[in-house]
Each structure stands twice: as structure tokens, then as C-alpha cells.
Amino acid sequence: MISKDEIDDTLRGYNLDRLEICTLGTHTALQIAKGARDEGFRNLLLCTEKGAGFYGRLPVVDDIIEINSYSDILLDGIQDELIDRNVILIPHGSFVEYVGSKNITERLRVPMLGNRLVLEWESNRKMERRWFEEANLRVPREFKAPDEIDRLVMVKFPGARGGAGYFLAKSVDEFHKKLKEVDLPEHIKKEYTIQEYVIGTRFYPHFFYSPLNDELELLGMDIRYESNVDGLVRIPNIIQKEIKEGPSYVITGNIPVVLRESLLPDLMEIGRNLVEGSKRLFKPGVIGPFCVEMICTPELEFVCFEISGRIVAGTNLFIRGSTYSDILYNEPMSCGRRICREIRIARERNKLEEIIY
Ligand code: ATP
């Protein structure tokens, strides 16, 4: 495992006037690149051939290193080059998916924004649930065995797969039938989680926790646009019944949403509890952006089912800021820019080691 001391040593060798903000050229790379520019840093994207053609044409991108696959970031030659360039990496969803949280904690020597331990907590369903429990939050009921199913459940598989393969079942028979049909490798199929299906409205708030100020900010909120569940609801019920295919939850886009204002204090309390819980579970806890996927019930209670401990793709809606970031900042403040601002402030206060691991 790469120790925090090793990263601090690397940071001490950096020329802080020449920091470069770097991420993989996908997911939220555009707002990170723009955020870096807006905060006075140079940016650098690691792109595959296809990505290089796209990002390389955009004026907001300063520089590109072309790699064959995203996991090439682990190659010693690439890591040495990034360290030579005084790079601070920004992890995003595809970064974690393609490089792997284990590789990030065990092999990636390049300084990165945030506490890299969070990446393991957010990508492991059991650990994520433990974090929710530590924060005293309501979570969907989980069923240990299929024969316990007594209500509508959602069956999930591991990995940030954008809902790939998830299915709904109301009984043990339906569960076994659909599990057999699902198009996933056998070893993944075995690792199912059976979760109560919570009926309500979804909210995915984008939080940012600044350890420098001990402040929790709400920067935006979205819901995911999912195929084909969001397509199916446009078909009248009588025709729906003739369709054999069940709903799938593969994310295809994001939609902005605001929360009923009277619920905002409860939402902020949830965010705060998660920050405090994370400090107890994996010191120094979550740093910077995180997002909770939750459902609001008719009783106006929030049920939390997923957490991401890094920038999420839904923040792409708000490259020029959101309703919420506008309340806090009198200028366009995307999540990518907020990340770079934190790095800038930490550099000014000589506290980079408090936000980088
Ligand atoms: P990602 O890692 O990309 O966030 P994922 O594969 O972990 O995706 P989830 O976010 O857990 O998938 O779930 C996908 C979608 O399924 C959610 O956006 C939501 O629409 C729905 N969903 C998940 N869990 C529940 C639940 N317990 N009750 C109702 N709907 C749910």
C-alpha cells in the first residue's frame, strides 16, 4: 500500500508554482480542466486515442498524454512523468472503474486529491452500508437469502456498472428465473445483493467537504436518466403489459433537480453525519466531493442506497454552477472548479498535505 508519508515526501519535492491538475480524459474531465484554468492551474488529460482526438481540439485543455488504456496510468514511466510535472490527480467515477480502487491504494504513487481510502469504501457495497450505518442513516432493507423475499426487491451486482444487469423480483421463483437469464459473467452473478425496492423520488445531492474550513457545501443535485426504465414509463400501461423486457438502469444522462426547500436542513444533516462517520471509519475521512444516492419517501424520509466518494458525472450539469452553488458563490462554481479552488487555498495556506493523499 502506498503510504501517506510517501505521498507527502513526493509533494515536498514538488514545485508548487508549477502544479498541474490531471485526470483521465473522460467522465468529468471537461469541468475539471476548466476548473483548473479558472483557478490558475495548467491542466493535463490522459487520453486514449479516441479521447485525444476529442479533447485535443478543445481550447480549455492545456495538454494531453496519449495512452493505450486508462490503466496505463499505473505504468512506472507514466507515473514518473506525472510526478516530474508536479501533477495532482483528480479521481472520478471512470478513473476508479478503470484503474481499480485497489490499484489506486497499492500502486499509484502520484499525489491525488482526497483520501484515497474512501475509494475502497465507496466501491464495496458492504463497506458502503457500514458507512451509512455509522452515520445513522436509513438504508433499504437487505435480504440475506432469496427465500426471504417478501416484497418488491432490486437485485444488484458488484462494481460501478451503471446499473448493468440489475433486475426486479417479487418472489423467490421470479428471482431464480431472472438470475438465470441475466447477461453477466457467472462469478459476478454469484455476488448478488437483494435489496428492498424503495418507492419514492430520487435525489442525488453533490456535496463538497472542505477540511480546511471544516465546512460542508451543497454544490448541486441531479437524478439519473436511466435506460430503459425512464423510456418504459412513457409507454401507456396497456402496451407496457405486452412488453416482455424488464426495466434496466443503465445510466444514459442526468437531469437537474431541486429539493423541496424545507427538506434542505435534513439533507445537510445527512451530509454532515456522513462526514463525521467517515472520520471515525477511515481517518481523516472523506475530503472534497461526494454524492449520496437517495430516495425520498412520502413520509419525507430519505433512504440512502449508494455513495460516491469523488466527483460524480451528474455535476456535469453545472459547469456554470447550480441553484445551490450560486447561493454560496457569487461566480460560476462547478464541482471541478471547487476542487481546484480547494487545492489553490491549501497551497496558499501551506496545507496541501491535509487534502492530498
Ligand atoms: P453507479 O455505481 O454507476 O452509481 P450502480 O450500478 O451502483 O451505479 P445504483 O446506483 O445502486 O447502481 O442503482 C442504479 C439505479 O437503480 C438507481 O439510480 C435507482 O434508479 C435504482 N435503485 C437502486 N437501488 C434502489 C432501491 N433500493 N430502490 C429503488 N430504486 C433503486
Side-chain angles (χ1 to χ4, degrees), residues 277-296:
S278 73
K279 289 182 184 175
R280 292 190 293 273
L281 291 175
F282 49 97
K283 278 195 177 64
V286 65
I287 291 171
F290 69 100
C291 174
V292 195
E293 296 181 27
M294 49 173 69
I295 293 172
C296 189

Side-chain angles (χ1 to χ4, degrees), residues 102-266:
K102 221 179 160 73
N103 282 330
I104 293 173
T105 44
E106 289 179 4
R107 295 173 55 196
L108 194 60
R109 295 178 279 114
V110 186
M112 176 182 263
L113 175 102
N115 175 358
R116 55 182 84 186
L117 298 179
V118 76
L119 302 177
E120 207 189 334
W121 280 83
E122 61 131 53
S123 47
N124 176 313
R125 193 157 282 129
K126 282 205 178 86
M127 291 168 85
E128 172 180 78
R129 203 170 168 88
R130 169 88 184 79
W131 186 0
F132 283 143
E133 282 164 3
E134 182 69 29
N136 248 323
L137 305 184
R138 212 180 131 189
V139 290
R141 188 172 155 194
E142 269 185 23
F143 297 87
K144 288 203 174 61
D147 56 9
E148 287 177 12
I149 296 174
D150 63 357
R151 66 192 77 181
L152 183 62
V153 295
M154 182 175 236
V155 181
K156 300 183 171 188
F157 300 93
R161 316 174 68 85
Y166 288 15
F167 64 83
L168 301 182
K170 286 182 292 315
S171 65
V172 58
D173 292 345
E174 195 177 350
F175 168 86
H176 286 301
K177 183 172 170 290
K178 288 188 170 167
L179 186 68
K180 212 177 270 170
E181 286 163 5
V182 79
D183 184 20
L184 286 173
E186 284 307 315
H187 70 281
I188 302 238
K189 276 193 189 186
K190 281 193 191 126
E191 288 186 56
Y192 59 74
T193 301
I194 306 173
Q195 204 172 76
E196 164 193 11
Y197 186 89
V198 184
I199 301 178
T201 45
R202 291 161 301 145
F203 293 93
Y204 303 166
H206 316 146
F207 290 111
F208 187 96
Y209 175 64
S210 163
L212 300 175
N213 307 325
D214 187 24
E215 280 294 343
L216 179 69
E217 300 167 13
L218 177 64
L219 290 180
M221 215 180 297
D222 76 296
I223 57 176
R224 294 167 28 157
Y225 201 32
E226 294 164 335
S227 195
N228 56 15
V229 65
D230 286 311
L232 281 170
V233 292
R234 288 174 50 82
I235 299 173
N237 192 260
I238 35 169
I239 304 181
Q240 263 185 23
K241 282 185 187 143
E242 293 162 14
I243 296 175
K244 291 271 172 316
E245 212 179 313
S248 54
Y249 298 84
V250 175
I251 184 162
T252 52
N254 300 83
I255 305 172
V257 65
V258 287
L259 184 68
R260 180 173 160 170
E261 192 158 314
S262 59
L263 293 175
L264 283 176
D266 293 349

